[in-house]
Amino acid sequence: TTSTLQQVASTRLGFSPSRTMHIAQKLYEAGHITYMRTDSTTLGKEAMATIAHVVKETFGERYLSPQQYKTKSKVAQEAHESVRPSHMHKVSAGSNDEQKKLYALIRARALASQMSDAEIMRTTILATIGGEIPAFAARGARIIFDGWLAADPDARGEEFELPKVAEGDKLSLVEARSEGKQTQPPPRYTEAGLVKELEKRGIGRPSTYAGIVSTLQIRGYVERDGKTLKPTYTGDVVSSFL
């Protein structure tokens, strides 16, 4: 959907929502992707058949798991199908680097949507030293079968992966570090986080998310600090007044 496209392009590629929409518009005008303003997760039957063929051809039968998704939002209009490549067999498309990156992301997500679940084993590794020192623990997961992650390998970073070890294995100490931690306030919104919150609360439409986020910055209500949006004094006053 428009909202998830803006969110993932922001977190993975560092594009602002308005930049994402500008690039997507160019891809759409060139006929590489379907209409990019949508709140629908539905795929057309023809598209599903083509994706299934590409999955089988590229990854094999075991990776295929055709499914039709339904939008959870009660306010969704679902006027257009989800954002996907117009021609699934096209591995790369776009006239510049940004367009190619966004197209690759859209294609990866379209393929992943029709693929088998990844099989992940959640695990904890306990390293004991003996004596009075408590065991050190590493919690994470091991990927048994990559499933849809084969089409969208960048999503692997969202899960902390642990190596395969057996009970009794000896570990070598590479380095030891200690760090102090204290309770932090909830983090401020990033552009992706703000779009997600707007969608969750039913504020705006797919066509207005990018405009809302850029207007906040143009009017000086917030300023970017890295990926974070921080309210300015003007923004604080306007918010209190409203």
Side-chain angles (χ1 to χ4, degrees):
T1 62
T2 303
S3 139
T4 48
L5 175 65
Q6 290 174 9
Q7 288 170 51
V8 182
S10 174
T11 51
R12 282 205 205 162
L13 306 175
F15 296 162
S16 68
S18 54
R19 186 90 197 119
T20 300
M21 294 313 286
H22 174 74
I23 298 163
Q25 178 78 41
K26 294 292 178 195
L27 286 170
Y28 170 67
E29 285 170 3
H32 298 311
I33 62 169
T34 56
Y35 192 57
M36 66 288 157
R37 291 191 178 93
T38 178
D39 51 18
S40 171
T41 53
T42 307
L43 282 166
K45 284 181 184 174
E46 205 176 292
M48 283 180 71
T50 311
I51 293 171
H53 180 70
V54 173
V55 169
K56 266 200 278 190
E57 214 173 49
T58 313
F59 305 103
E61 189 80 47
R62 193 189 168 191
Y63 285 84
L64 182 62
S65 178
Q67 49 203 308
Q68 188 60 273
Y69 295 89
K70 286 183 180 165
T71 308
K72 290 174 187 170
S73 171
K74 290 175 184 173
V75 293
Q77 292 179 354
E78 302 192 77
H80 302 275
E81 69 173 311
S82 58
V83 188
R84 62 165 177 83
S86 309
H87 310 286
M88 281 306 302
H89 291 92
K90 221 180 236 185
V91 177
S92 178
S95 56
N96 58 38
D97 196 41
E98 284 186 332
Q99 287 180 27
K100 283 173 184 170
K101 279 182 183 174
L102 192 65
Y103 178 83
L105 183 64
I106 293 166
R107 187 175 186 270
R109 291 290 286 250
L111 285 172
S113 76
Q114 300 301 304
M115 289 172 72
S116 308
D117 291 341
E119 289 170 21
I120 293 171
M121 183 172 79
R122 303 218 170 268
T123 183
T124 302
I125 296 176
L126 291 174
T128 55
I129 297 168
E132 294 175 11
I133 300 171
F136 288 92
R139 291 177 183 82
R142 272 193 50 233
I143 293 170
I144 312 297
F145 170 61
D146 54 0
W148 64 271
L149 288 168
D152 192 11
D154 290 339
R156 289 180 82 122
E158 292 160 19
E159 185 76 59
F160 187 71
E161 285 185 49
L162 292 174
K164 186 178 183 178
V165 291
E167 195 173 340
D169 281 0
K170 288 190 175 180
L171 304 178
S172 313
L173 175 66
V174 178
E175 64 171 320
R177 287 197 311 264
S178 67
E179 55 182 63
K181 288 200 172 178
Q182 56 192 53
T183 308
Q184 298 290 327
R188 294 200 179 277
Y189 286 116
T190 59
E191 290 179 327
L194 188 56
V195 169
K196 187 176 183 178
E197 190 68 23
L198 289 169
E199 185 185 33
K200 194 168 94 181
R201 297 193 187 201
I203 299 167
R205 303 282 328 133
S207 57
T208 60
Y209 298 138
I212 291 170
V213 176
S214 60
T215 299
L216 288 172
Q217 293 174 70
I218 291 164
R219 292 187 182 172
Y221 296 151
V222 296
E223 53 191 26
R224 279 184 70 168
D225 180 9
K227 283 190 173 183
T228 306
L229 296 174
K230 284 190 173 177
T232 59
Y233 176 72
T234 310
D236 219 14
V237 171
V238 171
S239 179
S240 303
F241 174 72
L242 289 170

